[in-house]
């Protein structure tokens, strides 16, 4: 479906609106923000009302479950909006971005011909041109190649920060090919951005008021970008440099792979106060047999050793992980080994999933699939243990004085809310003008999903 006028890009007469729906990981959140940055110079303003939008972007995730079906059901809803707006005399452009767009490509246009643009995670820098192409030409536009140019070279510097915390993608793609995972197929091979580009973006974000940056990558600790000195820099060196940016009080990074957790990064947790004592380090399973079948490239004891080193370097470090239960071939003993590893390590939080066969991955072809009922039981047992550990971790912070970076108002009147270094949500009764500052808080109570406390007035942490 094509509209021959240029109304998507005419900005002089009236405001154009953009509505972005984001599913999936933080990298998709980052990508969505960058698409907004790309369209801002064309006169687009973000709206939370899909019905108001001239351009609707659905940024999709392909990692688990019925990802593709979910996309088509959402597209059905967007089509209704497009039809309704048409009746009111407005054109609407629908773009499908992200990992399902990359994986399904043309099939999306075949099943949903009212979609105007399909663009992969590596081609969204071409979105303004694609919108123009749709407006000027005939037919829908598809861009899912892995281009030779890097999209990062074409993205404008952020002009607005959404708040006091921001994501910054430093590395993309994956060469590890875990048996279960679609990411190497949807995001392409591993690439690191040059150090200077990252520093420029981080400085820009801090100028806009950002206090905490989360460095992102599918394998963020495999970062090996070109440094300004001509050498290759690893994540530890990059974090050290970032920690010198005035006003940047917190640095985080995610997601890491145990294979790339080298000593220099562990030491950085000891040496850099702004590197937050929180690490998301997915282990997936505690069974060596399953880890091997998953092609993870390490054993359960190697993971335990990394954790021991981290705890020595930064004794208060809080740990998080991802787990998959019911990977093909996982026996009850393998599952017990996962439970044992959780007991040994103890996690502050974690994500756990039932194995979900993904088209094109090697595990999906295995004939040793675990029964659904069995997966359900294992998941429940694991999640109960992880929940207990999370509650215990949160309860252990009661009575402690912790610096909290306040980022928004709380749910109740007079409350403000923020995050602890360990990524816990904390709220206190305090004046709104403290939002954007980091202050010491005495944690007094552990609630179901958050902590509450009170400000310590003597001496705040630097804001
Ligand atoms: N790069 C990260 C993970 C990215 S995907 C890493 O290497 O750990 C996020 C999480 O989704 C994974 O850690 C895994 O636990 C889960 N996941 C990925 N594919 C899955 C599948 N097919 N079924 C169930 N969970 C899956
Ligand atoms: Fe997927 Fe494995 Fe790569 Fe993580 S390391 S993105 S789980 S293939
Ligand atoms: Fe999903 Fe793609 Fe991220 S599959 S988890 S949006 S890399």
């Amino acid at each position: 479906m094509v509209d021959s006028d240029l109304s998507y890009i005419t900005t002089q007469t009236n405001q154009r609106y953009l509505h972005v729906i984001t599913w999936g990981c933080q990298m998709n959140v980052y990508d969505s923000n960058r698409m907004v940055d790309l369209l801002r110079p064309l006169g687009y303003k973000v709206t939370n009302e899909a019905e108001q939008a001239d351009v609707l972007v659905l940024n999709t995730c392909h990692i688990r479950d019925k990802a593709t079906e979910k996309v088509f059901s959402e597209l059905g809803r967007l089509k209704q909006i497009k039809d309704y707006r048409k009746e009111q005399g407005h054109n609407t452009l629908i773009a499908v971005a992200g990992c399902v767009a990359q994986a399904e490509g043309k099939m999306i246009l075949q099943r949903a011909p009212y979609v105007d643009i399909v663009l992969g995670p590596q081609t969204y820098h071409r979105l303004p041109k694609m919108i123009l192409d749709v407006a000027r030409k005939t037919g829908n536009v598809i861009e899912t190649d892995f281009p030779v140019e890097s999209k990062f070279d074409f993205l404008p510097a952020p002009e607005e920060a959404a708040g006091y915390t921001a994501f910054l993608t430093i590395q993309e793609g994956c060469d590890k090919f875990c048996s279960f995972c679609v990411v190497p197929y949807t995001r392409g091979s591993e690439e690191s951005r040059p150090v200077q580009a990252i520093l420029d973006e981080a400085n820009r974000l801090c100028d806009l008021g950002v206090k905490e940056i989360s460095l992102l990558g599918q394998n963020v600790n495999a970062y090996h970008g070109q440094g300004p000195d001509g050498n290759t820099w690893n994540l530890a060196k990059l974090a050290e440099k970032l920690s010198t940016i005035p006003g940047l009080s917190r640095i985080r990074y995610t997601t890491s792979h145990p294979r790339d957790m080298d000593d220099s990064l562990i030491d950085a947790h000891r040496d850099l106060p702004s590197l937050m004592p929180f690490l998301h380090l997915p282990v997936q399973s505690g069974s060596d047999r399953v880890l091997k079948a998953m092609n993870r490239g390490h054993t359960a004891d190697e993971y335990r050793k990394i954790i021991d080193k981290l705890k020595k370097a930064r004794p208060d470090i809080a740990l998080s992980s991802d787990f998959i239960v019911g990977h093909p071939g996982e026996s009850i003993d393998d599952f017990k080994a996962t439970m044992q590893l959780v007991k040994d390590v103890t996690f502050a939080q974690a994500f756990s999933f039932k194995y979900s066969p993904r088209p094109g991955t090697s595990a999906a072809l295995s004939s040793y699939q675990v029964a659904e009922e069995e997966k359900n039981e294992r998941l429940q047992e694991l999640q109960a243990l992880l929940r207990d550990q999370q509650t215990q971790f949160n309860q252990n912070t009661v009575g402690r004085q912790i610096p909290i970076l306040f980022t928004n108002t709380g749910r109740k009147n007079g409350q403000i809310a923020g995050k602890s270094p360990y990524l816990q949500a904390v709220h206190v009764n305090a004046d709104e003008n403290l939002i954007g500052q980091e202050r010491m808080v005495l944690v007094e109570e552990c609630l179901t999903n958050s902590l509450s406390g009170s400000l310590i007035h003597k001496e705040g942490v630097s804001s």
Side-chain angles (χ1 to χ4, degrees), residues 63-64 174 176 178 180-183 217-219 255-258 280 282-284 296 322-324 351 353-358 361:
I63 202 81
R64 277 177 296 273
C174 181
K176 294 201 167 66
C178 299
F180 50 83
C181 182
V182 289
V183 171
Q218 267 90 22
N219 282 273
T255 293
S256 296
H257 194 292
H280 181 63
V283 64
Q284 316 296 357
R296 292 290 289 178
D322 291 341
F323 296 90
I324 295 179
F351 302 93
F353 313 98
K354 276 190 291 184
Y355 166 73
S356 155
R358 307 308 293 135
T361 60

Side-chain angles (χ1 to χ4, degrees), residues 66-94:
K66 300 179 176 72
T68 305
E69 288 319 305
K70 203 175 140 199
V71 168
F72 283 108
S73 120
E74 182 70 358
L75 283 176
R77 189 180 76 86
L78 298 185
K79 179 180 187 302
Q80 284 179 358
I81 294 173
K82 183 168 179 158
D83 291 346
Y84 167 78
R85 281 176 47 89
K86 190 85 199 162
E87 284 164 25
Q88 313 292 313
H90 302 299
N91 292 319
T92 313
L93 184 150
I94 299 179

Side-chain angles (χ1 to χ4, degrees), residues 66-236:
K66 300 179 176 72
T68 305
E69 288 319 305
K70 203 175 140 199
V71 168
F72 283 108
S73 120
E74 182 70 358
L75 283 176
R77 189 180 76 86
L78 298 185
K79 179 180 187 302
Q80 284 179 358
I81 294 173
K82 183 168 179 158
D83 291 346
Y84 167 78
R85 281 176 47 89
K86 190 85 199 162
E87 284 164 25
Q88 313 292 313
H90 302 299
N91 292 319
T92 313
L93 184 150
I94 299 179
V96 182
C99 292
V100 175
Q102 187 63 48
E104 304 290 359
K106 258 196 199 119
M107 200 272 278
I108 296 180
L109 296 179
Q110 281 157 7
R111 270 184 68 179
Y114 50 88
V115 168
D116 301 279
I117 291 175
V118 174
L119 69 167
Q122 305 307 337
T123 45
Y124 67 77
H125 57 293
R126 298 181 185 164
L127 183 57
K129 181 178 173 296
M130 293 162 84
I131 292 180
L132 270 168
D133 287 349
V134 172
R136 283 194 184 127
K137 289 191 210 150
T138 48
N140 0 42
V141 181
I142 175 162
E143 290 265 15
T144 51
D145 293 344
F146 289 110
V148 276
E149 81 270 16
S150 163
K151 69 183 175 211
F152 293 108
D153 294 338
F154 296 84
L155 298 175
E159 277 181 26
E160 282 175 21
Y164 299 98
T165 60
F167 293 136
L168 201 174
T169 294
I170 65 166
Q171 179 277 339
E172 269 207 291
C174 181
D175 298 333
K176 294 201 167 66
F177 292 92
C178 299
S179 61
F180 50 83
C181 182
V182 289
V183 171
Y185 308 98
T186 62
R187 291 273 172 170
S189 59
E190 207 177 294
E191 300 289 342
S192 296
R193 290 177 72 188
V195 171
Q196 196 54 53
I198 295 164
L199 295 177
D200 290 347
E201 194 168 325
N203 274 302
R204 177 88 193 115
L205 289 167
C206 293
D207 288 346
L208 294 168
V210 165
K211 300 279 168 64
E212 172 180 306
I213 292 182
S214 296
L215 306 172
L216 302 182
Q218 267 90 22
N219 282 273
V220 74
N221 58 342
Y223 177 81
H224 56 281
Q226 204 203 346
D229 54 5
N231 295 325
T232 301
W233 287 28
N234 64 11
L235 183 59

Side-chain angles (χ1 to χ4, degrees), residues 247-266:
L248 182 59
S249 50
R250 296 181 164 197
I251 301 169
R252 302 181 183 277
Y253 59 95
T254 199
T255 293
S256 296
H257 194 292
R259 261 158 70 183
D260 299 310
M261 204 64 221
D262 64 21
D263 286 346
S264 65
L265 190 52
I266 294 174

Side-chain angles (χ1 to χ4, degrees), residues 8 24 75 90 96 104 106 176 180 243 247 287 297 310 312 315 342 354 368 375 390 448:
Y8 307 119
L75 283 176
H90 302 299
V96 182
E104 304 290 359
K106 258 196 199 119
K176 294 201 167 66
F180 50 83
S243 70
S287 150
L310 277 160
K312 257 191 212 115
V342 174
K354 276 190 291 184
Y368 300 103
K375 286 190 214 171
Q390 179 166 12
T448 324

Side-chain angles (χ1 to χ4, degrees), residues 355-403:
Y355 166 73
S356 155
R358 307 308 293 135
T361 60
S362 61
L365 302 172
S366 165
S367 41
Y368 300 103
Q369 301 293 332
V370 175
E372 200 57 24
E373 209 175 299
E374 190 61 39
K375 286 190 214 171
N376 283 333
E377 277 175 26
R378 292 180 195 177
L379 187 66
Q380 275 182 26
E381 198 178 329
L382 175 62
Q383 289 187 337
L385 176 61
L386 291 168
R387 244 193 330 269
D388 283 352
Q389 292 193 345
Q390 179 166 12
T391 308
Q392 194 57 54
F393 178 81
N394 288 337
Q395 269 163 359
N396 288 348
T397 49
V398 174
R400 282 185 59 190
Q401 299 184 6
I402 296 176

